[in-house]
Amino acid sequence: MLRMPSCLLKLTRVVLSHKPWALFFLIFVFVSFAYIKLYLGIWEDSENRVPTYGLSAEIGCAHYVPSPLNIAGEPSPSAGNVFFVETSEQTTPSYLFSCSVESAARTHPASRVVVLMKGLAKENSTLPKHWAFSLLRCFPNVEIRPLDLTELFSGTPLERWYLWPLRHWEPYFLAVLSDACRIVLMWKFGGIYLDTDFIVLKNLQNLTNALGIQDHDVLNGAFLSFKPKHRFMKLCMQDFVEDYNGWVWGHQGPELLTRVFKKWCSIQTIESMSCKGVSALAPEVVYPIPWQDWKKLFKAVSASELHKLLKNTYAVHIWNKLSHGTKLEIPSQALLAQLYSQFCPATYAKMKQD
């Protein structure tokens, strides 16, 4: 005869002995958890939703990308890869996603720009019919591949963390999963990692073993650049597991990197600095627009203002989690529209057409 697990037996006794209060508590917990999952599901859906204009899946490369890149032969492995990661099941890239990859491909002609997407079937080598995939295929150094998470985490401290069966029920799981992927990619392969809401202005390869200061005393992992097997990334993986808390937003992301860097340098406050071979870059390098001022991206600026603003900038983070619902006029003098126009002209041409 099967026996009831002890935890369920205890719970049953509590419910039977305190029926009204126990029942109220269980209902409250269930409704709260369901609300969190529903809210996050709506948030993730709205963040990744793209306008539907009956977009053509086929792109004429000669029309949109007449002279994409000046590449002599294959991209050089010594140049290092540029990685983008999509941890949701989304296979309908947005304009910003396309711009991020295009701008990275244009500024890193000698590198492989590798886009890893969880929603792509491993057994199917054919990409879904979508204009962004068709456009990005015009760039010879862009590779779009399935994201095999089990294989990625294999042999790292995060392997057991990922295989825990209830992990995906955590409220911020997709964000935490993205945090996990980037530090493991940097540890295993090295190169550059970028979130899919960056517009790249300059080649990032000379920013080695570096990450950016988001604002006062906080580092952000939306941009990472490290050599493979770097000890700093190893410490990040260890901290990820040992100080894990998937129920606090940012605990596994910016807070983790900030914790590890402070220990690495034995400091209390982070400023633009280099310590034991790892650099904390000034905010203007990759976060010139603070997240608190994200609306500035949609305001008009002159060409001279744009040049002055981005003089020491290598890439611009668009803060898509905050800005994704804001309407952008195309064409316009808005800062973001000018960035699209200059640094991902093929995506910009498609935006104007649509």
Side-chain angles (χ1 to χ4, degrees):
M1 181 176 177
L2 294 174
R3 297 181 62 186
M4 183 181 292
S6 59
C7 60
L8 293 180
L9 187 60
K10 290 178 182 178
L11 182 60
T12 303
R13 286 173 180 167
V14 171
V15 172
L16 291 176
S17 60
H18 302 85
K19 288 182 181 178
W21 286 108
L23 183 60
F24 173 79
F25 176 76
L26 289 174
I27 291 173
F28 175 77
V29 171
F30 176 78
V31 171
S32 299
F33 187 75
Y35 173 79
I36 290 173
K37 293 301 290 183
L38 177 62
Y39 173 79
L40 288 171
I42 293 172
W43 181 271
E44 290 294 339
D45 181 60
S46 65
E47 183 177 353
N48 292 294
R49 191 181 298 133
V50 294
T52 54
Y53 299 107
L55 303 180
S56 169
E58 293 301 321
I59 292 290
C61 291
H63 174 70
Y64 284 95
V65 195
S67 301
L69 294 170
N70 181 21
I71 297 179
E74 292 292 315
S76 170
S78 61
N81 293 328
V82 179
F83 291 101
F84 292 92
V85 175
E86 176 56 70
T87 53
S88 76
E89 298 293 335
Q90 286 286 335
T91 55
T92 54
S94 65
Y95 295 122
L96 181 53
F97 185 113
S98 176
C99 182
S100 296
V101 178
E102 178 186 346
S103 62
R106 289 183 180 276
T107 51
H108 298 78
S111 301
R112 286 186 174 86
V113 178
V114 182
V115 183
L116 300 170
M117 303 186 73
K118 185 173 179 288
L120 296 181
K122 302 178 188 65
E123 64 279 359
N124 189 355
S125 60
T126 304
L127 291 172
K129 289 187 176 181
H130 188 273
W131 68 265
F133 293 129
S134 184
L135 186 149
L136 294 174
R137 279 201 303 263
C138 297
F139 296 91
N141 60 333
V142 172
E143 299 179 9
I144 302 173
R145 307 176 187 170
L147 173 61
D148 187 333
L149 291 166
T150 303
E151 180 182 352
L152 177 63
F153 295 131
S154 175
T156 74
L158 279 71
E159 184 174 9
R160 289 183 63 188
W161 165 83
Y162 176 68
L163 294 176
W164 189 56
L166 300 181
R167 184 68 62 203
H168 67 281
W169 287 102
E170 294 174 354
Y172 307 121
F173 177 65
L174 280 182
V176 172
L177 185 59
S178 178
D179 294 329
C181 287
R182 67 193 69 185
I183 61 176
V184 172
L185 281 168
M186 291 296 95
W187 163 250
K188 279 193 166 184
F189 307 108
I192 294 167
Y193 166 84
L194 291 168
D195 274 1
T196 55
D197 57 349
F198 259 109
I199 298 180
V200 186
L201 318 186
K202 302 172 185 174
N203 191 292
L204 298 159
Q205 294 291 359
N206 64 327
L207 304 178
T208 307
N209 299 331
L211 63 171
I213 299 174
Q214 169 184 301
D215 49 30
H216 176 68
D217 204 36
V218 178
L219 293 169
N220 194 309
F223 158 80
L224 294 171
S225 177
F226 280 87
K227 293 181 178 179
K229 303 298 187 293
H230 196 283
R231 186 167 171 265
F232 184 84
M233 282 293 112
K234 184 177 182 180
L235 293 175
C236 287
M237 292 191 298
Q238 292 172 351
D239 184 280
F240 188 99
V241 175
E242 294 169 1
D243 193 11
Y244 184 77
N245 188 340
W247 294 81
V248 175
W249 177 262
H251 187 80
Q252 304 304 119
E255 291 184 19
L256 180 152
L257 294 166
T258 302
R259 287 193 303 272
V260 174
F261 190 81
K262 285 183 175 181
K263 293 177 184 177
W264 178 266
C265 297
S266 301
I267 56 174
Q268 296 297 319
T269 303
I270 295 175
E271 56 187 24
S272 178
M273 61 187 297
S274 182
C275 177
K276 298 180 183 176
V278 177
S279 298
L281 304 174
E284 62 265 22
V285 178
V286 286
Y287 304 111
I289 308 296
W291 66 267
Q292 301 92 331
D293 296 334
W294 66 267
K295 291 183 180 178
K296 183 184 289 187
L297 291 160
F298 297 87
K299 295 180 180 178
V301 296
S302 66
S304 60
E305 288 175 316
L306 180 65
H307 176 75
K308 183 178 179 181
L309 177 66
L310 304 179
K311 183 179 179 181
N312 299 314
T313 298
Y314 282 72
V316 180
H317 195 225
I318 307 303
W319 307 109
N320 187 52
K321 201 161 189 67
L322 298 169
S323 65
H324 70 272
T326 306
K327 184 179 180 181
L328 176 65
E329 294 291 340
I330 296 292
S332 73
Q333 290 301 111
L335 171 57
L336 183 54
Q338 293 194 59
L339 291 175
Y340 273 112
S341 175
Q342 292 185 39
F343 301 102
C344 54
T347 301
Y348 184 71
K350 190 72 175 75
M351 293 171 74
K352 288 197 296 183
Q353 174 188 309
D354 296 333

